[in-house]
Amino acid sequence: MLIHLHRIGGGTLPRTQNNGRSHRRFGLIGYPLGHSLSPYIHERIMEVAGIDGEYRLYELEPGSLPRELPRLLDALHGLNCTLPHKEAIVKYLEKLAPSAAEYGAVNTVYGRTGYNTDGRAFASCGVPMDGRKVRILGAGGVARVLAIEAVRAGAREIVVQARNLPRAEHLVGEVQRRGFRHISALPEPEGDSMDCNVVLNGTPVGMWPHVDGLPVTMRQLEGVQAVFDTIYNPTATRLVLRAKSRDMWTMGGLQMLFAQALAAQKIWNPEVDFTKYNTELEELRQGLAREVLRRSPIKLVLTGFMGSGKTHVGKALADTMSLPFVDLDERIAGDYGQSITDIFASQGEGAFREMERRVFLDQIKHPETMVMSTGGGTLVQEGLMETLLGSGVLVIYLNVPFDLALQRIALDGGNRKRPLLTEGLEKAKNLYEMRQPLYEAVADLEVPASLGVDEIVKRIMTAFGW
């Protein structure tokens, strides 16, 4: 898929041909736009609906808007607008639709009228907010949408949490002027609890490539029932995955992104009955997760005690997602020419851990999305997780009961393949109990390993929006 990225400044733009259903041209203005999914989404929607059209990216630096926007308005049938132009564009348009007037910002333009599809798109996600206390993280433009829609959805109370307290207070004032009084601002949570039912993340914390970011601690999420993250890359952030592990209602921002694009297409093509293509559009929406992974590599790393099924699950997950799979123990044995058992016997556990660490870090450097199964002691090595910051690793913990782990180990060759089990059952039990909290500490998503392989894979893929 070729994405056209245009940096405006001179040159000739194609003129539109307003002759019925001729080839139509759309685009996105903003700065920067290097990782935008918009061309992919819009061109796929047009293919589904039989619209002869194209969609391009137009990078406009902030100072170039007065010069370049009029040319684009003449040349395109419609355009989208993102940061930093969503508010600045207003004065160049002839009028605002009610949606844009309500939010004071424009993300879609048609016929020199500005629209805003953000609110409708967020509402389509169905976040359960009626009668609940809502905490909004961030105070920018997206937080404004979240706050207004939370009021519309029946939120009982709203707290806007942002480091920039004056900006948060400004947003609170906007909402209060609309008649909703139960809203306040905080720079940080008071104590360990956020005292809310719903968390809406409107910050970029956790966005690719810095997927290790977490805007709140898990202790602060105690008592929370629902989490929505506007970030769509990765399709499930650490915030979403960790909330999912605690059986909360969760959703990432991919649904909102797709709904924004579809709403824009409906504005630009009012004669098209998009309801005729609901099945195809839903398939397209689900397929977006694959495209995100293709463009923005992450490492899905499985951890857990021996017998948790990391290798079986890893192979099945990689096969289902059409991704490369690496079994770390197999890679170590191949690189060093000895089985794990022989390495333990001849060189000791300390030497093995050094090999394990070296091979693991080498695999993480590969510039592609992959699934990796690790040994039971890999990720609990002291300091290892700290070295992975910024490396695009998300950890899936397969939590296996100790008795079930022993049953599986016996069926799989027993102690002959498990050097750490040669010292007896009691020491194995102590090792299990020592590692459990360590697994929980590094895990982004926790899945019961007692489930069948197919069900585990399904849960993992569902968590990532597949």
Side-chain angles (χ1 to χ4, degrees):
M1 177 65 190
L2 178 63
I3 294 179
H4 307 283
L5 181 58
H6 295 259
R7 291 173 176 81
I8 306 300
T12 302
L13 290 166
R15 301 292 297 183
T16 59
Q17 302 293 322
N18 294 311
N19 54 350
R21 302 311 302 152
S22 63
H23 184 74
R24 297 172 69 76
R25 299 180 176 90
F26 306 101
L28 170 66
I29 63 170
Y31 188 85
L33 294 175
H35 294 289
S36 175
L37 275 172
S38 292
Y40 178 88
I41 297 173
H42 281 276
E43 293 192 351
R44 298 291 80 72
I45 291 174
M46 288 189 285
E47 286 177 6
V48 165
I51 298 168
D52 178 17
E54 64 183 73
Y55 189 102
R56 298 184 178 184
L57 300 178
Y58 298 92
E59 283 199 334
L60 271 63
E61 296 182 8
S64 68
L65 192 65
R67 180 180 69 253
E68 304 300 343
L69 182 61
R71 300 172 63 214
L72 283 170
L73 290 174
D74 286 340
L76 302 178
H77 290 88
L79 62 84
N80 288 133
C81 178
T82 190
L83 298 175
H85 306 308
K86 296 178 76 168
E87 296 178 5
I89 195 176
V90 171
K91 64 183 178 182
Y92 300 101
L93 303 175
E94 293 177 0
K95 62 179 180 178
L96 297 181
S99 59
E102 180 174 31
Y103 297 112
V106 168
N107 74 348
T108 302
V109 178
Y110 182 53
R112 284 179 167 74
T113 296
Y115 300 80
N116 192 306
T117 66
D118 291 335
R120 188 192 314 177
F122 174 58
S124 75
C125 297
V127 183
M129 294 183 285
D130 187 19
R132 301 188 180 187
K133 299 171 71 173
V134 175
R135 178 69 60 102
I136 297 173
L137 309 181
V142 68
R144 180 193 299 159
V145 172
L146 299 178
I148 293 172
E149 291 301 320
V151 173
R152 184 171 285 131
R156 174 163 53 95
E157 179 184 326
I158 299 172
V159 174
V160 179
Q161 177 185 317
R163 293 180 179 178
N164 188 333
L165 186 58
R167 193 172 188 183
E169 290 173 337
H170 177 76
L171 174 55
V172 166
E174 284 188 56
V175 176
Q176 288 177 336
R177 285 189 290 274
R178 296 167 182 265
F180 186 82
R181 310 304 300 175
H182 304 290
I183 182 169
S184 58
L186 283 176
E188 299 290 343
E190 296 178 332
D192 290 333
S193 173
M194 291 193 295
D195 186 28
C196 64
N197 311 115
V198 180
V199 172
L200 310 176
N201 182 37
T203 78
V205 178
M207 183 183 296
W208 188 90
H210 305 292
V211 301
D212 47 85
L214 198 61
V216 295
T217 67
M218 296 317 296
R219 178 173 292 182
Q220 289 166 350
L221 285 182
E222 289 182 5
V224 172
Q225 300 162 353
V227 169
F228 178 84
D229 199 332
T230 57
I231 293 172
Y232 62 84
N233 185 8
T235 55
T237 59
R238 290 186 79 193
L239 174 64
V240 168
L241 292 175
R242 293 193 174 197
K244 190 81 171 179
S245 296
R246 288 152 179 80
D247 295 323
M248 300 178 195
W249 183 100
T250 62
M251 184 179 288
L254 201 60
Q255 160 67 26
M256 183 175 174
L257 178 71
F258 182 75
Q260 288 168 325
L262 183 57
Q265 286 291 333
K266 290 178 178 179
I267 291 169
W268 297 330
N269 301 283
E271 74 288 346
V272 176
D273 181 7
F274 284 90
T275 61
K276 292 164 49 177
Y277 310 105
N278 283 344
T279 300
E280 295 88 346
L281 290 170
E282 176 57 21
E283 291 174 354
L284 170 58
R285 186 194 66 78
Q286 293 177 357
L288 285 179
R290 291 178 172 84
E291 183 65 14
V292 172
L293 275 180
R294 187 186 70 81
R295 295 183 181 210
S296 307
I298 60 175
K299 310 298 186 293
L300 304 180
V301 177
L302 278 69
T303 191
F305 198 67
M306 59 188 88
S308 60
K310 299 182 295 292
T311 298
H312 295 301
V313 171
K315 287 179 178 177
L317 180 63
D319 182 61
T320 304
M321 300 176 81
S322 300
L323 295 174
F325 172 68
V326 173
D327 180 277
L328 189 62
D329 282 351
E330 289 183 2
R331 189 57 54 93
I332 295 168
D335 285 359
Y336 290 94
Q338 284 184 289
S339 69
I340 304 303
T341 302
D342 290 341
I343 293 173
F344 264 80
S346 63
Q347 302 184 54
E349 183 178 356
F352 170 75
R353 294 301 176 199
E354 283 298 318
M355 298 177 189
E356 182 180 49
R357 186 185 189 95
R358 191 177 306 119
V359 175
F360 176 74
L361 293 176
D362 180 63
Q363 291 300 310
I364 292 302
K365 294 176 184 177
H366 285 217
E368 61 182 352
T369 296
M370 68 169 64
V371 177
M372 181 189 299
S373 65
T374 61
T378 307
L379 298 190
V380 298
Q381 288 192 44
E382 185 176 355
L384 181 61
M385 291 304 295
E386 286 76 7
T387 68
L388 299 179
L389 296 178
S391 60
V393 169
L394 292 172
V395 178
I396 301 166
Y397 166 38
L398 303 183
N399 187 355
V400 62
F402 182 68
D403 291 343
L404 178 59
L406 291 183
Q407 292 175 22
R408 290 177 173 177
I409 291 167
L411 292 173
D412 192 34
N415 297 356
R416 292 181 291 103
K417 295 183 179 181
R418 316 281 180 170
L420 292 180
L421 289 183
T422 58
E423 298 183 7
L425 186 61
E426 183 177 349
K427 287 197 174 182
K429 178 69 170 178
N430 291 338
L431 181 66
Y432 175 87
E433 292 176 349
M434 182 270 290
R435 285 182 175 176
Q436 286 297 93
L438 301 178
Y439 293 139
E440 292 172 358
V442 302
D444 295 310
L445 177 66
E446 182 176 330
V447 182
S450 55
L451 301 172
V453 171
D454 290 345
E455 179 61 25
I456 293 174
V457 169
K458 180 181 177 181
R459 289 201 181 193
I460 294 172
M461 294 183 65
T462 299
F464 279 93
W466 287 51

